[in-house]
Amino acid sequence: MSKQILILPGDGIGPEIVTEAVKVLAALRDRFGFDVEMDEALVGGAAIDATGGPLPDATLDLAKEADAILLGAVGGPKWEQLDISIRPEKGLLGLRSALNLFANLRPAILYPQLADASSLKAEIVAGLDIMIVRELTGGIYFGQPRGIRELEGGEKQGFNTLVYQESEVDRIARVAFDIARKRDSRVCSVDKANVLECTELWREVVTRVGEEYADVDLSHMYVDNAAMQLVKWPKQFDVMVTTNMFGDILSDCAAMLTGSIGMLPSASLDEQGKGMYEPIHGSAPDIAGQGVANPLATILSVAMMLRYSLNEPEMADRVEAAVDKVLDQGLRTPDIFAEGMTEVNCETMGDAVVAALD
Ligand code: NAD
């Protein structure tokens, strides 16, 4: 049966980069027999302009039916004055919660060809390949009670609740262990178990799940040390699994080790492995419409989709190898350009990847 992919271009550079990723999917279909059907829908600012809301029912229905979703990016200055409840970003959050996408996978990969793009020394980061697995639908970002209240005497107090139940930790730990099995079989669970009871339980549950994965090497690290180690010697990590907030911070830190925001894909998965795939960057309004955005993060998101939701590891390998090849050819969009390389625009980069698929 053909796989159904919902394409959500979104705003800013979203439509430009998604066009190139769709070309790659179409080439896999036309030249390599990948049985796929693609549908397109509105989300974010584009949906607000057309329908008044960032996540139309029609989009949500299509998203529920699809096997996987490819998103460009949402947001931009045009919609920043709107009430927070109907801003473009609400479309994204709405999709994540409606589809129960609890596992966020953020690889931080530094292609050796781009080692100079990092702010760290090339020998520290060249060949970096970390997968951060972040819990996405629980923890302090969702815990109740939360708010700002007035104390006796008039002083205000802000409060949030860090809460995880065993089943939430169990399922994210399994995602991490399963991924580690396809990589270097090492998981580092990051917590603050010395201070926070909630993450003491996190450590206990991850350890328990780890006993079922005797072939995977499990270690634990406090989050402050993990932040330090990421900058000191990041290549020590294979898979890191952590809470929503720690993952939010550590994954941005890891992304920046690679120095090239236009290169990094991400996935958000539900319990059945269905997922939404998107580059980690935003809609880049400063360069939107100029045709100079780097489409590689979005194309690499397609590779993740093939691997994690569509069970097409060979197609995924093919896409990743094509990206590697265009970098070897010296093709660079402006964001990753360096002396001696060939500067290309978004469309040329996409065409080059398509040509390199063979
Ligand atoms: P951004 O990631 O859009 O841009 C940061 C910088 O990186 C900009 O200079 C931009 O030109 C550059 N950049 C980003 N992607 C690039 C690419 N593919 N190729 C070349 N350069 C690229 O972050 P921002 O400026 O903070 O946010 C802009 C808008 O995007 C905001 O409205 C924000 O809310 C939204 N946003 C959306 C998402 C999402 O859709 N998942 C994520 C982050 C930000």
Side-chain angles (χ1 to χ4, degrees):
M1 218 170 73
S2 54
K3 306 275 170 57
Q4 308 286 329
I5 300 178
L6 179 64
I7 308 288
L8 301 175
D11 310 316
I13 60 169
E16 301 165 38
I17 53 180
V18 162
T19 297
E20 303 312 314
V22 167
K23 270 189 208 167
V24 171
L25 280 164
L28 294 177
R29 179 192 61 205
D30 299 340
R31 296 194 346 232
F32 302 100
F34 174 43
D35 193 6
V36 65
E37 281 175 26
M38 292 180 259
D39 229 325
E40 194 175 306
L42 294 169
V43 72
I48 293 172
D49 290 350
T51 69
L55 181 57
D57 288 345
T59 299
L60 190 53
D61 289 345
L62 286 169
K64 285 179 177 163
E65 283 163 24
D67 296 305
I69 299 153
L70 180 69
L71 176 94
V74 297
K78 184 176 175 193
W79 303 281
E80 267 164 17
Q81 71 295 345
L82 292 176
D83 186 79
I84 200 153
S85 63
I86 53 156
R87 289 222 194 123
E89 291 76 7
K90 279 282 166 197
L92 254 190
L93 297 178
L95 278 167
R96 283 180 188 157
S97 65
L99 301 177
N100 199 16
L101 304 174
F102 73 94
N104 187 218
L105 275 45
R106 293 258 308 243
I109 296 170
L110 181 56
Y111 285 83
Q113 301 94 321
L114 302 178
D116 288 335
S118 176
S119 51
L120 295 193
K121 291 189 198 110
E123 72 261 26
I124 307 258
V125 289
L128 183 78
D129 182 359
I130 304 175
M131 176 68 85
I132 297 193
V133 178
R134 166 189 170 196
E135 201 290 326
L136 199 61
T137 51
I140 198 164
Y141 290 176
F142 292 91
Q144 295 287 348
R146 60 191 296 157
I148 300 173
R149 60 193 164 203
E150 203 167 294
L151 302 174
E152 248 175 70
E155 193 186 1
K156 283 188 188 164
Q157 182 187 58
F159 59 101
N160 290 88
T161 305
L162 173 60
V163 56
Y164 272 113
Q165 58 206 57
E166 288 178 293
S167 54
E168 289 176 296
V169 183
D170 186 289
R171 67 180 184 176
I172 193 75
R174 286 178 196 281
V175 171
F177 284 112
D178 286 337
I179 288 173
R181 274 187 170 160
K182 295 181 189 158
R183 298 168 46 99
D184 199 31
S185 294
R186 289 182 293 121
V187 169
C188 178
S189 172
V190 177
D191 59 42
K192 190 72 181 168
N194 51 340
V195 178
L196 301 170
E197 288 84 351
C198 181
T199 67
E200 194 184 331
L201 178 67
W202 174 283
R203 186 177 285 217
E204 188 185 311
V205 176
V206 173
T207 304
R208 194 162 70 213
V209 175
E211 284 163 9
E212 294 176 39
Y213 292 81
D215 53 320
V216 179
D217 181 50
L218 171 64
S219 60
H220 302 273
M221 198 177 273
Y222 297 137
V223 63
D224 41 350
N225 188 24
M228 205 165 73
Q229 295 299 328
L230 265 178
V231 180
K232 190 175 168 207
W233 188 238
K235 284 192 266 188
Q236 69 184 276
F237 297 111
D238 179 26
V239 175
M240 300 175 90
V241 60
T242 190
T243 64
N244 201 341
M245 183 162 74
F246 294 164
D248 189 4
I249 298 164
L250 292 181
S251 62
D252 267 19
C253 175
M256 277 304 99
L257 297 176
T258 74
S260 44
I261 198 172
M263 294 294 302
L264 296 175
S266 77
S268 304
L269 304 178
D270 74 3
E271 276 185 87
Q272 283 70 45
K274 170 173 169 164
M276 182 157 81
Y277 295 80
E278 55 183 309
I280 67 156
H281 59 72
S283 59
D286 53 334
I287 56 166
Q290 297 173 24
V292 296
N294 185 344
L296 294 180
T298 317
I299 291 172
L300 290 167
S301 299
V302 166
M304 283 190 90
M305 173 191 286
L306 291 162
R307 195 180 303 286
Y308 293 108
S309 285
L310 304 182
N311 199 22
E312 296 279 0
E314 279 155 26
M315 295 283 176
D317 287 346
R318 187 179 285 282
V319 174
E320 284 164 357
V323 169
D324 206 35
K325 199 160 153 191
V326 300
L327 293 175
D328 276 346
Q329 289 163 356
L331 303 186
R332 303 283 189 273
T333 43
D335 58 307
I336 51 172
F337 180 72
E339 203 60 25
M341 299 293 140
T342 309
E343 190 168 311
V344 295
N345 63 19
C346 183
E347 186 181 355
T348 307
M349 186 61 107
D351 289 340
V353 173
V354 168
L357 286 170
D358 282 313

